[in-house]
Amino acid sequence: MRTMLLVHGAWHGSWCWTPVTAHLAARGVPSVAVDLLGHGLNGRAPAARWARPFDQAAFAAEPSPVAHVTTDAAAGALVDQIRVVGGGEPCVVVAHSLGGVIATAAAELAPDLFAHLVYVSAYVPITASVAELFTSSEAAGELVSGLLVADPATAGALRHDPGDPERRKGLREAFYGDVDVTTADAAIALLGTDTPVHFPAEKVAVTRGRYGGVPHTYVVCAKDRAIPEPLQRRFVRDVDAVSATTTRVIALDTSHAPFLSRPEELAEAVVTAW
């Protein structure tokens, strides 16, 4: 029986999939959520985050303890996780947001381990890096870049401050627009501060013979203010241009976090690929 492996996005961890795994289990789908390198239990925060009194300038200037984590290293670690979870057999891999960068690289690295790759409002940087895409017309209105509190090149990471009240408001608007405030605040409290700068800085090279042979689905989140819908639709076209089969598209009328706002609907959507 195939297992579904769930990959989170920037600043999040495997915890974000908890509401979805219950609905997958109810449908008889075994699933495992994993932490990417530099995130969750694999993550590290700058020391200045915990210093008291808190020094905003020191927090912004401190080099990230996860700055060394590359896209290739994270993709290799994800391949190892898929191999363990699936017992060497292919898994259905579901990737959200910046996790799409790592899942894309992993699918090129080991396409035989991917029974299907499902993107959930995820970046697929095969024609341009995420950093380049942030400046594209399709990204107009995105709210993520405004959350950063440090120069990514200096810190070696995309860094935000989930403890700042004003930025917490920005996080709710960018990620959790249709999530109830109590749940959104609980999620924000679990966020890491740093995502390795290599993830958004690097374009992922894929080939038709490897990545292109993996079946793809893209779950478009129509109310997303982190990755606007036009950019999501561009990713579908980019994937189709290098794939043997057309990407299945499923649209949800949700924010960037359907795993929290509409977990049952998201589970139903990704099950179509299982």
Side-chain angles (χ1 to χ4, degrees):
M1 179 180 292
R2 286 182 303 189
T3 301
M4 188 170 286
L5 188 137
L6 309 170
V7 183
H8 60 82
W11 302 326
H12 289 70
S14 55
W15 55 265
C16 72
W17 290 105
T18 300
V20 176
T21 57
H23 291 291
L24 292 174
R27 288 160 174 75
V29 178
S31 63
V32 176
V34 299
D35 285 327
L36 291 172
L37 283 187
H39 296 80
L41 293 177
N42 298 316
R44 300 292 182 270
R49 180 184 186 183
W50 308 113
R52 294 297 180 270
F54 180 71
D55 185 332
Q56 182 70 50
F59 178 65
E62 183 178 340
S64 175
V66 298
H68 66 284
V69 178
T70 65
T71 299
D72 286 346
L78 179 58
V79 166
D80 290 341
Q81 290 169 316
I82 298 169
R83 188 172 285 113
V84 169
V85 169
E89 296 298 319
C91 291
V92 173
V93 177
V94 181
H96 175 252
S97 193
L98 207 63
V101 176
I102 309 307
T104 299
E108 175 68 18
L109 185 63
D112 55 306
L113 293 178
F114 284 73
H116 204 108
L117 176 51
V118 182
Y119 293 111
V120 178
S121 191
Y123 289 102
V124 191
I126 56 180
T127 61
S129 70
V130 172
E132 292 168 333
L133 291 163
F134 266 7
T135 66
S136 70
S137 60
E138 293 100 331
E142 63 83 16
L143 300 180
V144 175
S145 56
L147 299 173
L148 303 183
V149 299
D151 178 2
T154 300
L158 300 184
R159 178 171 295 162
H160 73 131
D161 181 7
D164 181 282
E166 282 303 310
R167 293 188 183 276
R168 288 173 71 86
K169 180 181 177 182
L171 282 164
R172 285 196 295 268
E173 293 174 348
F175 291 156
Y176 310 121
D178 60 348
V179 179
D180 68 90
V181 173
T182 299
T183 301
D185 283 346
I188 291 170
L190 292 170
L191 294 175
T193 62
D194 288 14
T195 283
V197 72
H198 291 282
F199 294 5
E202 299 172 2
K203 177 181 170 183
V204 176
V206 299
T207 59
R208 182 178 293 272
R210 297 180 67 80
Y211 170 85
V214 175
H216 300 94
T217 292
Y218 200 106
V219 178
V220 172
C221 296
K223 293 180 178 177
D224 197 332
R225 302 189 72 186
I227 307 179
E229 183 177 357
L231 186 53
Q232 297 176 60
R233 298 286 181 179
R234 170 182 171 167
F235 292 139
V236 173
R237 296 192 298 271
D238 290 347
V239 172
D240 283 347
V242 295
S243 296
T245 57
T246 302
T247 302
R248 179 196 294 121
V249 178
I250 300 171
L252 298 181
D253 193 31
T254 70
S255 70
H256 192 60
F259 41 77
L260 297 180
S261 64
R262 306 278 186 86
E264 185 171 8
E265 287 184 35
L266 181 57
E268 192 64 37
V270 299
V271 161
T272 62
W274 183 68

